[in-house]
Amino acid sequence: METIIQTLYESASGFAQSLGYGLSPTRFEHTLARFLGLLTVYFGIGIAATIYRTQLSRFIQLAYKAFQSELQRLKPMFHTFLRSNTPLHNRLLFFILFFSLGIRFYYLSQPIREDEANTFLLYVLKPFYVSLSNYSFANNHILHSFLVKLSSSVFGYSEWALRLPAVFFGSLIPLAGYLVSRRFLHSHAALLCVSFLGGSSYLIEYSSNARGYSLLCLCVIVLMGLCLSLLSAPRLGKWVSFFLISVLGVYTMPLMTLPILLFSLWIGLSFVLKKTYSPLNSLFMTLVCIDLACFVLYTPVFLVTGFENVIQKLRSYPVYNEYASDFFSTASYQLIDFLHLLSSVWLREFSAVPILLLAFFAGLYTSTRLNRHLSHFLVTCLFFFLALFFSGQLYGFLRKWLFFLPIFYFFLSAGIATCLRSKWTHKLRLVEILASIVFIYLIFTGVQKNLVQQSPETGVLPDAKAITAYLSDKIKPDDRLIAPLHAPLQYYFFRSDLPLTVFRQQQQQQQLGITYLVLDHRLTLDHLFYRRYKENAALLLKRFSKASLYQITH
């Protein structure tokens, strides 16, 4: 047995080295144990599928037909909306959708960001089986990385080619928000909602960022509409749609489990309060199918990276503070940090206009009057956030909670539209005028203040391309380049066919080359990261718009 394991290890180690990876004996043993465990699970699934193959085949055929019938209902619904709207409403809707798409394409060629470049270098450039199985970092939004790989294989490795999947899904967010609010609220709220979603600088930023957040936001707003539809008529085709959207979201990011859990609790609570218990069986079976499908899709990840690694990426570690010695201190720091994230969104999007906050709370009230199921949703959200708070999971990067932004705009639009809903406002077209002002204001403010390009989210080094062009005829393989954000430089070095060996972490003992240092203008040579270079002479080579390039003499 040991001889067989040793032979397998030598073969696997040689294959891993050909891909640029190291494979230790301990890691190989863990991978082999995971493989045997997964093989046992799949053996059990195969036996169950064989026993119930007739029932399973019938159910799949029935589910496919039900899903087709639900898709056929979408087109007449959209036509009904357009026919019932006024001509001014429809013209304004297409105006907002067209320019929201245009502003997203406008930012397609902005300088590459740190997380985008890391995703490209670590996953997109690798073979398909590596990008679909390596989850060593949360940067790998697997489904989105797969789509980026397809896009880059057709259109090349330019910035806009890497961002095509993100801008495609991001451009659908305003339309999806309009359809959901139009179906379950009214036309005025829908027009305001598409204005907010089309002009939001955060949604524009992540729609022009080669990550999976725009796809995640789209899945969440579609799931919200599906849940509202399920609560009124729980047909099989809607459960199939819930299953498909959930699986696509989870395969993009495991973070999608949070909104799925929230919406599932909402559906369950609503049916229990209505004393309608039969749809709960369908909800349970849908969740089981989602778990099974995600388990199958993540099998390569579980095998190569490990199940615990995926679970670890889901966690948000509480705010650490040396003064937080007990639960209440830690919880208070966590809550303060979360409120800081919310305030940063508020200040950036609306410049702290207090009347909009009042409109949001008005929307919470009025939306529950328009649709009783939304009151259950608000109660579910309250307990959901309390559970996250007490479990220490309310902390994290702002983009972790980005999927709640469309839901926020949904209720905000409901509040504003309801306050303006009267005979005189209808005659004066105040809602149409306000929707135009909101959209133009958000777009104009974002472009004037350069909110997207100057956003520190996901790391930014705007001068990476210019620094690469400056060093293209100077830097040599023996040289060394040190930068706080090195992934954008590595991306442009790769595209310029420059040596990537200059980004090595440790200096070689007999290094004869030159050491270059990229320093952000916000930092100085006294900064902790660069203090060790202060003993050497630092020669300023060139000052760029946001960074400076130094040459360190040893």
Side-chain angles (χ1 to χ4, degrees):
M1 187 65 180
E2 294 181 359
T3 306
I4 296 176
I5 295 177
Q6 182 65 26
T7 304
L8 291 174
Y9 169 70
E10 292 176 355
S11 302
S13 178
F15 179 70
Q17 288 180 359
S18 66
L19 297 176
Y21 296 100
L23 184 64
S24 63
T26 304
R27 184 178 179 183
F28 174 74
E29 291 177 1
H30 292 167
T31 304
L32 184 60
R34 289 194 292 265
F35 173 76
L36 295 176
L38 290 171
L39 187 63
T40 304
V41 172
Y42 273 104
F43 182 73
I45 293 174
I47 292 176
T50 303
I51 295 175
Y52 298 101
R53 61 184 180 275
T54 304
Q55 297 91 327
L56 187 61
S57 176
R58 291 176 181 173
F59 175 76
I60 291 175
Q61 293 177 2
L62 185 63
Y64 178 72
K65 293 179 180 179
F67 178 68
Q68 276 188 325
S69 65
E70 290 298 327
L71 289 180
Q72 291 172 358
R73 289 187 176 95
L74 289 179
K75 189 176 179 180
M77 181 184 69
F78 187 67
H79 287 170
T80 302
F81 290 160
L82 293 180
R83 285 194 298 267
S84 61
N85 294 334
T86 63
L88 177 61
H89 182 107
N90 288 334
R91 285 195 292 267
L92 185 56
L93 171 63
F94 287 112
F95 168 81
I96 293 173
L97 291 176
F98 177 77
F99 279 96
S100 64
L101 176 64
I103 194 65
R104 283 158 172 79
F105 272 96
Y106 173 75
Y107 288 110
L108 269 185
S109 297
Q110 65 174 312
I112 200 80
R113 292 177 175 268
E114 174 77 5
D115 287 357
E116 292 178 289
N118 273 324
T119 301
F120 171 77
L121 295 167
L122 297 177
Y123 306 108
V124 176
L125 276 181
K126 305 296 182 183
F128 277 109
Y129 52 84
V130 175
S131 59
L132 297 180
S133 62
N134 187 357
Y135 202 72
S136 53
F137 296 100
N139 284 61
N140 189 13
H141 302 165
I142 298 179
L143 177 59
H144 186 266
S145 299
F146 175 77
L147 296 176
V148 172
K149 191 171 183 65
L150 292 179
S151 175
S152 61
S153 63
V154 176
F155 300 106
Y157 296 139
S158 58
E159 296 93 338
W160 66 268
L162 303 182
R163 292 164 175 159
L164 276 181
V167 77
F168 172 75
F169 295 114
S171 301
L172 294 177
I173 293 175
L175 178 60
Y178 175 84
L179 293 176
V180 172
S181 52
R182 180 68 175 84
R183 170 68 176 82
F184 299 103
L185 295 176
H186 48 74
S187 59
H188 289 169
L191 195 59
L192 286 169
C193 186
V194 74
S195 300
F196 283 114
L197 294 177
S200 170
S201 63
Y202 275 107
L203 294 178
I204 292 173
E205 176 183 344
Y206 282 98
S207 297
S208 56
N209 192 316
R211 309 291 305 285
Y213 293 103
S214 60
L215 177 55
L216 185 69
C217 288
L218 179 63
C219 290
V220 168
I221 195 67
V222 172
L223 272 186
M224 185 175 182
L226 275 174
C227 290
L228 288 168
S229 182
L230 273 167
L231 292 173
S232 59
R235 293 191 295 266
L236 177 59
K238 297 178 182 179
W239 291 114
V240 175
S241 303
F242 187 93
F243 162 78
L244 292 175
I245 298 297
S246 300
V247 170
L248 288 177
V250 175
Y251 196 48
T252 302
M253 297 172 62
L255 181 64
M256 184 66 187
T257 53
L258 288 180
I260 291 175
L261 179 60
L262 172 63
F263 291 139
S264 301
L265 292 174
W266 172 28
I267 294 174
L269 176 64
S270 298
F271 282 127
V272 168
L273 293 178
K274 289 196 302 182
K275 297 182 180 180
T276 307
Y277 302 107
S278 57
L280 295 179
N281 296 327
S282 301
L283 174 62
F284 176 76
M285 292 305 300
T286 303
L287 293 178
V288 170
C289 292
I290 291 172
D291 292 338
L292 184 61
C294 293
F295 178 81
V296 172
L297 291 173
Y298 273 92
T299 295
V301 176
F302 296 151
L303 179 62
V304 175
T305 311
F307 179 79
E308 64 282 353
N309 212 337
V310 179
I311 300 301
Q312 186 180 11
K313 300 298 186 299
L314 279 172
R315 297 190 59 192
S316 295
Y317 295 99
V319 182
Y320 174 77
N321 192 291
E322 58 181 345
Y323 302 107
S325 56
D326 55 10
F327 169 78
F328 293 102
S329 300
T330 305
S332 62
Y333 282 114
Q334 180 187 185
L335 182 60
I336 291 172
D337 189 83
F338 183 71
L339 292 177
H340 173 72
L341 292 178
L342 296 181
S343 64
S344 64
V345 176
W346 186 255
L347 290 171
R348 171 172 162 175
E349 294 278 75
F350 307 111
S351 301
V353 180
I355 192 172
L356 290 179
L357 189 60
L358 296 176
F360 169 70
F361 287 108
L364 296 180
Y365 173 74
T366 56
S367 59
T368 57
R369 300 288 300 272
L370 295 171
N371 193 309
R372 68 181 187 276
H373 299 303
L374 291 175
S375 60
H376 304 155
F377 176 70
L378 296 178
V379 173
T380 308
C381 284
L382 175 62
F383 286 101
F384 184 74
F385 275 100
L386 286 176
L388 291 177
F389 173 72
F390 285 108
S391 61
Q393 301 301 306
L394 202 58
Y395 172 72
F397 293 111
L398 178 61
R399 52 188 176 271
K400 174 182 176 181
W401 307 106
L402 187 70
F403 63 86
F404 273 107
L405 194 58
I407 300 175
F408 169 79
Y409 286 135
F410 177 85
F411 287 104
L412 176 62
S413 304
I416 297 175
T418 304
C419 294
L420 297 177
R421 200 176 185 187
S422 68
K423 182 185 294 185
W424 289 104
T425 56
H426 179 72
K427 288 182 178 180
L428 297 175
R429 307 296 185 189
L430 289 184
V431 174
E432 287 82 355
I433 294 173
L434 182 60
S436 305
I437 293 174
V438 165
F439 180 72
I440 295 173
Y441 170 78
L442 290 175
I443 295 295
F444 178 77
T445 305
V447 174
Q448 183 190 35
K449 296 182 179 180
N450 206 9
L451 295 177
V452 174
Q453 290 183 326
Q454 292 185 0
S455 172
E457 292 285 319
T458 69
V460 60
L461 184 61
D463 299 314
K465 192 172 185 178
I467 294 171
T468 302
Y470 179 82
L471 292 174
S472 59
D473 57 348
K474 298 178 177 61
I475 201 161
K476 298 178 177 58
D478 291 335
D479 297 338
R480 187 180 179 208
L481 181 59
I482 302 169
L485 298 175
H486 60 274
L489 288 167
Q490 286 181 310
Y491 167 77
Y492 289 114
F493 267 56
F494 170 81
R495 289 189 58 193
S496 303
D497 294 325
L498 295 177
L500 296 178
T501 55
V502 299
F503 294 97
R504 53 184 173 270
Q505 296 295 323
Q506 299 295 330
Q507 182 176 348
Q508 297 177 353
Q509 293 182 354
Q510 296 181 348
Q511 180 181 342
L512 302 178
I514 302 172
T515 298
Y516 296 97
L517 176 65
V518 177
L519 191 64
D520 193 289
H521 286 171
R522 294 171 297 180
L523 307 177
T524 65
L525 288 173
D526 293 326
H527 190 267
L528 179 63
F529 183 75
Y530 304 103
R531 192 170 294 167
R532 54 179 172 168
Y533 301 106
K534 191 178 177 182
E535 301 174 355
N536 304 322
L539 174 63
L540 177 63
L541 296 180
K542 187 174 177 60
R543 181 177 293 272
F544 298 89
S545 61
K546 299 292 183 181
S548 299
L549 180 64
Y550 293 87
Q551 177 180 329
I552 306 298
T553 58
H554 302 281

